Amino acid sequence: MDYAEQAANIFGESDSEEENNNNYSNNDEEEQDKERKQQSSSSSPGSSSSSSSGGSSSASSSASSSASSRSSSQVEEEENADNHGEVRSSSYNNNKYDDNHDGNSHYYENYEEVEEEKDLFGSDNEDYVKTPANSPHPVPVLPPIRNTINHTRGGVGRVRWQNDRGPGLLPRPGPYPQRQNYGYGQKFFNAPRDERFVSELKLNKSEETLARKAIAFQEPCELTCYSRAEGGDVFFDDRSLRLFKRLITEDIGSDLNDGFDTFIPKKDLGSLGFGDLLATIRNRNIPLQNMHFVTYRNNLNKILATAYVRHEPWEMGVHKRNGVVYLDVHKLPERPQSELERRRCYWGYCFETLATEDPRRADGTGISHVDANVEYCSVIKTKLGAHRILMGAEMDCCDSTDDGRRFYVELKTSRELDYHTEERFEREKLLKFWIQSFLAGVPYIVIGFRDDGGRLVRTERLRTKDITHRVKMKNYWQGGVCLAFADEVLCWLYGTVKENEDYTLQFAHPFNRLELLQAQSCPDVITEHVQQL
């Protein structure tokens, strides 16, 4: 086979490959391919006859073959470009065409079958046309729901039978009696309120919540004082103030029972004692326009200690006049004391006598006359949070610095500590000692420890500001919590009471809230004090 025939075969295969790649070519392109085939077929016999001729015929045949080879190479490059650089054989293209042809025929057959299907909701569907508009079946009715949870229990509009089934076989005879001791325990206290009830403050805030509040407390400042002498006479001076004996250690081993037979207990003056404080305020002309509370320190001791001590009841009178709330001391009734209890009470007064200077005992005579009614009271102003407070505080004795500055000393007694009683002492007694001294600005506390028989064993001096550090390391209580709790109580109290109204603030069983009750009258000493201002 010569070059011309090879070129003819190449052109034929390339044309078939182009048709297979394009699948369906245009009619113009097919005619051009046919003309190209005819030209190639006609050139083949001419080339064979002229093969034996001269150099001119051979040159022309070589030129034609080279042109045909260039054209075939261009066709192959175009095919490779259309196939993304893949060279495919003619047999592969033929099989591809056959597969496409079969797929298309199958697609058209399915399309004809879809057209032959009927519309289920069309007018030609007899089953759909004959469907009745109303169903012959009745509409189902659901049974009534029986409410077993009873959400409306205790709500408004409660009916007796929730499911409309009527009463049971045995109708209820009436309201059942209250079960014994149900709802009256420490956790559930649903007792009927006192008819005098006005408001309450629930003690539901935790220690962590109160500890996050930083309540400022102003350093106490003494304004004036008064003294109560033997016989009950009141003087607006410091004649009853005693001086602390620094050599108290010399009395270690003394019997605190000495003088018990001649002891004069303290009398309950009631509101008259509060009248002495108000008289001192008037005598010194202390202005009360900017004051929020006037009280004895004892009432503030109760409020601050309630932050941790939740088992001791107390109450106080609350009376608001001219924007000032007067807190009167109320003493709860107590059971009769035994002989031992009265002796233990006397041991405290006896230690106060031993720890102070007394000119009558300068000659070495023992304690023979102790009168608990003789007292010295300091009138102090301070500020707790936003509340300005004017209070009276009884002072045991005083001492002086080297430069002559006077300061007060608190005297206390306690049973000698051991391994079992030390924790309770620091949890309860030190808490009360700290509150009492901190509120009045007393810097030192001297404690006399005694045995069970009343003999003085040892003494210890504490700095008031060191007590909080001592118990804070053991996580017993925090002074800031007491101040935060008192601030909340005073805010609630001052915002609740009304002008010229009388109340009673109490903390009683079950010890989970403070209750404010309506009072019937105001003490005469407060009424007279307001009139004399």
Side-chain angles (χ1 to χ4, degrees):
M1 181 183 294
D2 57 1
Y3 293 105
E5 292 177 352
Q6 290 180 359
N9 292 331
I10 292 174
F11 278 110
E13 292 177 356
S14 63
D15 292 337
S16 62
E17 288 177 356
E18 286 182 357
E19 290 175 357
N20 292 332
N21 291 330
N22 296 326
N23 292 329
Y24 301 101
S25 62
N26 296 329
N27 294 327
D28 296 337
E29 293 179 354
E30 291 179 354
E31 292 176 359
Q32 293 177 2
D33 294 335
K34 289 180 181 180
E35 291 176 359
R36 195 177 302 167
K37 290 179 181 180
Q38 291 176 0
Q39 292 177 3
S40 62
S41 60
S42 61
S43 61
S44 60
S47 62
S48 60
S49 60
S50 59
S51 58
S52 60
S53 62
S56 61
S57 62
S58 61
S60 61
S61 63
S62 62
S64 62
S65 62
S66 62
S68 63
S69 61
R70 286 196 302 269
S71 62
S72 63
S73 62
Q74 292 178 359
V75 173
E76 288 178 356
E77 290 177 358
E78 292 176 356
E79 289 176 354
N80 293 334
D82 295 335
N83 294 328
H84 303 286
E86 293 180 1
V87 179
R88 299 181 181 179
S89 63
S90 61
S91 62
Y92 174 81
N93 294 329
N94 292 332
N95 293 333
K96 180 178 180 181
Y97 175 78
D98 294 337
D99 293 341
N100 293 333
H101 180 71
D102 295 340
N104 293 332
S105 63
H106 180 67
Y107 170 76
Y108 287 114
E109 290 177 0
N110 293 336
Y111 180 75
E112 292 176 357
E113 291 179 1
V114 172
E115 287 183 349
E116 292 178 357
E117 292 181 358
K118 295 181 179 180
D119 186 6
L120 296 179
F121 300 98
S123 60
D124 57 344
N125 192 341
E126 297 180 358
D127 296 336
Y128 173 73
V129 173
K130 294 179 180 180
T131 301
N134 297 326
S135 175
H137 303 286
V139 179
V141 179
L142 298 177
I145 300 175
R146 184 175 182 181
N147 190 356
T148 58
I149 303 177
N150 196 7
H151 294 283
T152 60
R153 181 176 181 87
V156 180
R158 179 187 176 188
V159 296
R160 189 170 183 179
W161 301 287
Q162 298 289 338
N163 51 15
D164 297 332
R165 296 176 59 190
L169 297 178
L170 297 177
R172 298 178 62 179
Y176 291 104
Q178 183 71 30
R179 282 183 284 179
Q180 187 70 20
N181 295 330
Y182 177 75
Y184 289 86
Q186 179 74 16
K187 186 176 181 180
F188 304 100
F189 185 72
N190 300 322
R193 295 186 184 274
D194 195 322
E195 58 183 7
R196 305 172 297 165
F197 176 81
V198 176
S199 179
E200 67 177 8
L201 178 63
K202 294 184 178 180
L203 310 182
N204 51 10
K205 288 193 176 181
S206 63
E207 181 181 359
E208 291 77 9
T209 302
L210 295 174
R212 287 194 290 266
K213 297 179 64 177
I215 303 300
F217 184 79
Q218 189 180 51
E219 183 179 1
C221 177
E222 184 179 21
L223 300 180
T224 185
C225 63
Y226 72 90
S227 300
R228 180 176 285 108
E230 295 181 1
D233 297 332
V234 177
F235 302 92
F236 302 118
D237 52 29
D238 59 353
R239 67 182 64 186
S240 297
L241 180 60
R242 294 175 290 187
L243 185 63
F244 176 68
K245 187 171 66 173
R246 298 180 179 179
L247 300 178
I248 183 61
T249 54
E250 295 179 356
D251 294 324
I252 291 178
S254 301
D255 189 4
L256 299 179
N257 293 287
D258 293 345
F260 176 73
D261 298 335
T262 60
F263 171 63
I264 301 176
K266 191 170 187 177
K267 298 177 182 179
D268 184 14
L269 299 177
S271 298
L272 296 178
F274 192 53
D276 297 336
L277 174 61
L278 298 179
T280 306
I281 295 174
R282 295 193 305 270
N283 181 74
R284 186 63 184 270
N285 295 325
I286 299 176
L288 300 178
Q289 288 79 10
N290 296 327
M291 291 295 172
H292 297 101
F293 294 93
V294 176
T295 178
Y296 270 117
R297 179 180 58 179
N298 188 24
N299 288 330
L300 297 180
N301 293 345
K302 297 174 183 177
I303 294 176
L304 268 72
T306 306
Y308 289 96
V309 181
R310 300 291 177 88
H311 60 275
E312 296 180 1
W314 52 263
E315 69 175 35
M316 64 184 69
V318 182
H319 315 277
K320 190 172 185 179
R321 299 292 186 272
N322 297 330
V324 181
V325 177
Y326 297 89
L327 302 180
D328 189 16
V329 177
H330 287 186
K331 188 176 181 180
L332 295 177
E334 300 177 353
R335 60 179 178 82
Q337 292 182 342
S338 62
E339 177 71 15
L340 180 59
E341 290 175 342
R342 286 189 282 110
R343 282 188 176 273
R344 288 176 177 174
C345 183
Y346 171 75
W347 292 343
Y349 290 105
C350 183
F351 176 72
E352 291 179 2
T353 304
L354 284 176
T356 56
E357 300 288 351
D358 189 356
R360 294 175 296 181
R361 292 186 293 112
D363 54 357
T365 58
I367 299 174
S368 58
H369 183 74
V370 177
D371 189 355
N373 296 283
V374 178
E375 62 182 9
Y376 167 82
C377 186
S378 175
V379 180
I380 300 169
K381 74 170 184 178
T382 184
K383 186 177 180 181
L384 195 157
H387 307 94
R388 289 179 288 272
I389 302 172
L390 186 64
M391 65 178 175
E394 181 183 356
M395 299 298 178
D396 295 330
C397 61
C398 69
D399 199 355
S400 60
T401 60
D402 296 336
D403 56 358
R405 187 176 60 88
R406 189 176 71 178
F407 60 89
Y408 296 109
V409 179
E410 192 72 28
L411 302 176
K412 296 293 182 182
T413 57
S414 177
R415 183 179 179 271
E416 176 65 337
L417 303 179
D418 55 22
Y419 176 77
H420 301 284
T421 60
E422 182 178 5
E423 180 179 352
R424 183 179 179 182
F425 172 79
E426 293 178 346
R427 283 184 179 274
E428 298 181 6
K429 278 202 169 184
L430 277 187
L431 172 63
K432 296 180 180 180
F433 293 171
W434 176 82
I435 291 174
Q436 184 175 359
S437 301
F438 177 79
L439 289 176
V442 179
Y444 293 100
I445 304 173
V446 176
I447 305 175
F449 292 94
R450 45 92 186 165
D451 58 12
D452 295 335
R455 188 169 298 275
L456 186 63
V457 176
R458 65 182 178 93
T459 61
E460 181 180 357
R461 190 187 72 167
L462 298 177
R463 297 181 64 180
T464 304
K465 64 180 182 180
D466 294 339
I467 295 178
T468 53
H469 299 288
R470 175 177 175 179
V471 297
K472 188 176 182 180
M473 297 176 61
K474 300 180 180 180
N475 199 22
Y476 288 159
W477 51 268
Q478 301 180 50
V481 173
C482 299
L483 296 177
F485 177 79
D487 181 69
E488 288 201 352
V489 173
L490 296 181
C491 287
W492 164 73
L493 192 61
Y494 193 86
T496 303
V497 298
K498 298 179 181 180
E499 185 68 26
N500 297 324
E501 294 288 340
D502 305 304
Y503 307 89
T504 299
L505 178 64
Q506 69 174 10
F507 181 60
H509 182 80
F511 306 111
N512 57 3
R513 60 187 175 183
L514 297 178
E515 289 184 330
L516 189 64
L517 308 178
Q518 192 75 40
Q520 299 298 328
S521 61
C522 178
D524 296 336
V525 294
I526 298 178
T527 305
E528 296 174 358
H529 167 74
V530 175
Q531 294 175 355
Q532 296 179 22
L533 287 178

